[in-house]
Amino acid sequence: MNPATDTGFPVGFWLGVAALFGGLAVAAGAFGAHALEGKLSSHYLTVYQTAVQYQMYHALALLAVALLGAVLPDADWLRPGAWAFLIGIVLFSGSLYALVFSGVRMLGMITPIGGLAFLVGWGCLVLAGIRVGQGS
């Protein structure tokens, strides 16, 4: 049995998403360190760095979910957790990137929704752990 192909959990898809967002975080971090220094105020550079950090943290969380999905295909809470992390990256980091490059401060109102999505993702992992620990 090949757990990456014989489960209901789309391991390959989530590995690809995790790798994409992780790679983009590395590229964004390098861009920020080399191209944006001196072009952004210290405030906006800090906001940009926060976006990059949270994108990388949650790309790694997606990687963990994908790997867990390969070995725990019946962990029902992994799939909604993965989607929550993806939505969190797009809304949290995406809104911060947009804020930095546009200067439109209202975009910052989207950021907490992304933060909430991150929390939902972590909550789903807690529930997956509880379910696995109970043997169901």
Side-chain angles (χ1 to χ4, degrees):
M1 179 173 142
N2 181 349
T5 59
D6 296 341
T7 70
F9 187 83
V11 174
F13 173 77
W14 289 111
L15 280 173
V17 170
L20 174 67
F21 279 108
L24 288 173
V26 170
F31 178 74
H34 299 290
L36 296 180
E37 190 115 22
K39 294 189 170 100
L40 293 176
S41 69
S42 63
H43 170 72
Y44 279 131
L45 196 54
T46 300
V47 170
Y48 184 85
Q49 290 168 341
T50 299
V52 172
Q53 288 173 341
Y54 276 77
Q55 180 176 335
M56 180 56 83
Y57 298 153
H58 291 89
L60 293 172
L62 278 171
L63 177 62
V65 169
L67 296 175
L68 286 169
V71 296
L72 301 170
D74 295 329
D76 296 337
W77 287 99
L78 291 179
R79 190 182 305 251
W83 281 108
F85 287 139
L86 173 60
I87 291 166
I89 290 170
V90 170
L91 293 179
F92 185 90
S93 294
S95 67
L96 291 180
Y97 292 134
L99 169 66
V100 166
F101 291 117
S102 73
V104 177
R105 297 183 58 120
M106 287 185 61
L107 289 167
M109 295 186 333
I110 298 169
T111 308
I113 300 167
L116 181 61
F118 288 150
L119 291 172
V120 168
W122 290 111
C124 287
L125 285 185
V126 168
L127 292 172
I130 290 169
R131 293 277 310 251
V132 168
Q134 293 173 344
S136 50

